[in-house]
Structure formats: structure tokens, C-alpha cells
Amino acid sequence: MKKALITGVTGQDGSYLAEHLLGLGYAVHGIVRPSSRAAAINAAGAAPASIGSEQYIRLHTGDVLDQGFMTRLITTVEPDEVYNLAAQSHVGVSFSLPSYTTQVTGQSVVHLLEIIRRTDRPIRFYQASSSEMFGNAESETQDESTPFRPASPYAAAKVFAHEAVNIYRSAYGLHASSGILFNHESPRRSDAFVTRKVTKAVAEIVAGSRTALALGNLEASRDWGYAPEYVQAMHTMLQQETSGDYVIATGESHSVTQLCELAFSLVGLDWKQHVTSTSDQFRPSEVHSLRGDARKAARVLGWTPTTRFRQLVGIMLNADLAALGISDRVKSEK
């Protein structure tokens, strides 16, 4: 039985990845901070040993910044694969907490790579890189060769981590791959992120518990995909004979305005009657548009997305409506 260790297992991607690996027969270990122990697995996420007698997930309480803890854990667990999904992952928050973001999102990756190097075991490593590393790229689409132009402390920390993976891969021969994932969403997405912020607000407006939604830059455009499909790409990367970098994206981009228009229209509402753009929600430095080119992933990994933007918004909105006891409100797709 293969063993996998997931940092950030309580998050959106961590819970979907845990489910995916358990379904493949892995023994899964996850790291949770003491402060998040109560939410040990994302609310709808992978249940523990009850999934099957030969399948289980074991949680370890600790912090990725604690090198002693991480060394002991990796030495004890002896994982075949390590998936590093832990990060301070909110771009806006990174402007308020730049030092913390740098440590958790960037510096901790070097600690992990060094621990893996010193174990002298054939551990395969996955790093969650981000499309935010491209910043305001000069090209309309971004692939593995597009220069990085980070526009936030979060993006800068991700670039640092990404380059560290490249260095350890070339200098020490580690099987270390980075997935440059463009935005990917689901009902498990935190409502600190704009997609879930919108779908949750629409559901609450339908329920009558609110009437308005304040957002920041409505013209920002992103490439949004479905998180469960993206974690499958993570696993596939580590099954390759050689490691590398892969852009994971849909190849389509939509603005926040389009997101609002679609989400409200699915329940028969006019978004303009409820949404406002307020200056206090703008970031100090804005990334205007991102759209990924995932042709390498299709060619090498055989990975292509199947859930498109309209389906994604519908899935999220239905989940938020259901959480409020509302069903059959989303209009059927034509």
C-alpha cells in the first residue's frame, strides 16, 4: 500500500486529494494545526477509517514551520509521496500579513525539500504553485515558459517556493513536481474567495437573509476550474517517470462581472440590483487577467478539464442553496 502525506489537508484541495488517494487505495496521512483540529477534515471531505478496512487517513497535529516536527513525521511515516498544499493562500491577506505569508507559503517549502533530501529515500514531492506567480503577464495566456511577475506577497512567496523546487530537482535529483494551478473552486472553497463569496451571497439573498453584496474589482478576469479535477492532476504528476512543472487550467477566463451575472441569473435575479464595487475591497496591487494554457498537461499527463464555468457556478450555487434548505431554485441550463 502506498503512503501519502498531505500538508494543508483541511483545506479545499487537501480534502479532495485525500478522498482521491483513498479511492486509489493509499494510506493517507495529513497535518493539521492545533487551532484547526476541530475541523480535522473539510466539512464534506474525506472521512477516516470507515471508508474501508484497508483505507484510512491519520491526522498529525503540528505545524509545517516546525522543522523538528516535520523531520520526525516524515521519518516515522516514510511516505512514498508528499503533497505540499499548506499555505497562507489568500492574496488580499498577504498584504496584511506579508512576513507570515512568506514563511508559511515560501520558506516552509525549503524546509520540506531539505528534510526529504536528507532522508535518502525515493520520496516524490508535489508543490502547489499558483497562477498568481504570473501577475500581469504580457501574454494573453500563460504556460510553463511564461515569465513570472508576482504582484503580491503571496505570489512572491509562491515564486520563491517554485524556484526552490526547481533547484532541488536539478541539484539533488529529487522527483519534485510543481503544479501551476489556475483558480479552482468548489462548494468547499472558503467564502473569503470571490467565487464562493458570490454564490453564498446569492443563496442568502434568495433566502431573504441579506439584500446586497459588496465586492472589489469587478473587471478582474480569472481562469476558474473545478477543484476535484485539479487534485487528480496533482497525483498524476507524481506517477510520471520524470518530474516537471505543469500548468493546470481550463483555457477560459471570465470576469467577476460575468461571475455575478451568471450566478444571479441562475435564480432569476438581476445582479445589478444587488452588487456594488467598493474601493475598500480593492487590493493594493491588482492582477487584471489570467488565462492558462494547459496543453503540456494534456499531452504528457493526459489531463483535460471537463467541468466548465457555467457548470461550476451551478454546482457551487446549488450547494449553498441546499445548505440553507432551498432546492429547485437554479434554472436548468439550456
Side-chain angles (χ1 to χ4, degrees):
M1 180 188 293
K2 277 189 175 183
K3 290 184 286 186
L5 175 64
I6 303 173
T7 72
V9 74
T10 59
Q12 168 187 257
D13 291 4
S15 68
Y16 282 122
L17 179 60
E19 286 180 344
H20 182 62
L21 295 178
L22 287 168
L24 294 174
Y26 278 67
V28 180
H29 295 254
I31 300 171
V32 293
R33 291 173 298 169
S35 60
S36 62
R37 184 74 192 188
I41 290 293
N42 195 297
S50 60
I51 288 182
S53 59
E54 298 300 321
Q55 298 171 290
Y56 67 93
I57 178 167
R58 180 176 176 185
L59 301 176
H60 305 268
T61 303
D63 195 311
V64 293
L65 291 176
D66 185 336
Q67 294 182 64
F69 163 75
M70 291 303 301
T71 300
R72 291 190 299 273
L73 181 60
I74 289 175
T75 301
T76 302
V77 171
E78 295 186 331
D80 298 288
E81 299 168 3
V82 173
Y83 295 85
N84 183 44
L85 310 184
Q88 189 301 100
S89 58
H90 195 280
V91 173
V93 170
S94 75
F95 285 99
S96 301
L97 299 172
S99 295
Y100 176 73
T101 299
T102 299
Q103 291 173 0
V104 176
T105 307
Q107 188 175 348
S108 66
V109 178
V110 175
H111 296 165
L112 268 173
L113 290 166
E114 186 63 12
I115 292 167
I116 290 171
R117 180 182 75 84
R118 292 184 177 185
T119 62
D120 198 30
R121 294 186 68 254
I123 297 172
R124 298 191 172 195
F125 180 80
Y126 171 81
Q127 167 60 18
S129 290
S130 169
S131 60
E132 288 290 329
M133 300 188 303
F134 295 121
N136 287 305
E138 294 183 355
S139 56
E140 290 187 6
T141 60
Q142 298 81 48
D143 63 15
E144 295 80 7
S145 64
T146 302
F148 298 138
R149 299 176 63 183
S152 68
Y154 167 77
K158 281 292 188 183
V159 170
F160 173 80
H162 183 88
E163 297 298 354
V165 171
N166 288 337
I167 291 168
Y168 272 74
R169 181 195 302 149
S170 60
Y172 302 115
L174 294 189
H175 193 293
S177 291
S178 294
I180 308 174
L181 272 57
F182 281 64
N183 294 62
H184 47 289
E185 320 297 316
S186 76
R188 300 182 194 174
R189 188 60 137 162
S190 163
D191 60 12
F193 293 84
V194 69
T195 48
R196 183 76 197 294
K197 187 180 294 185
V198 169
T199 60
K200 185 177 180 181
V202 170
E204 291 172 349
I205 289 169
V206 170
S209 60
R210 69 187 295 176
T211 60
L213 170 64
L215 297 173
N217 182 10
L218 299 180
E219 299 309 312
S221 180
R222 293 292 185 272
D223 185 326
W224 280 302
Y226 188 37
E229 297 175 355
Y230 283 43
V231 302
Q232 294 174 20
M234 298 176 187
H235 173 258
T236 305
M237 288 178 208
L238 296 199
Q239 310 319 303
Q240 304 307 303
E241 184 176 344
T242 58
S243 52
D245 302 332
Y246 296 90
V247 162
I248 304 298
T250 70
E252 300 176 3
S253 62
H254 301 271
S255 68
V256 176
T257 294
Q258 291 172 316
L259 167 65
C260 293
E261 183 176 17
L262 174 58
F264 279 87
S265 70
L266 288 174
V267 292
L269 295 175
D270 181 357
W271 73 276
K272 293 179 181 178
Q273 302 299 314
H274 302 277
V275 178
T276 57
S277 175
T278 60
S279 59
D280 64 323
Q281 299 219 24
F282 276 67
R283 295 167 180 168
S285 177
E286 291 281 345
V287 173
H288 303 297
S289 178
L290 290 169
R291 179 159 64 96
D293 179 348
R295 283 180 292 181
K296 179 183 176 182
R299 184 179 70 254
V300 179
L301 306 180
W303 182 91
T304 55
T306 59
T307 303
R308 296 300 180 180
F309 182 64
R310 184 179 179 86
Q311 295 171 285
L312 171 62
V313 175
I315 290 168
M316 295 177 67
L317 182 53
N318 269 323
D320 281 323
L321 287 165
L324 297 176
I326 303 169
S327 59
D328 302 323
R329 280 301 305 268
V330 174
K331 291 184 175 180
S332 300
E333 294 186 31
K334 297 181 180 179

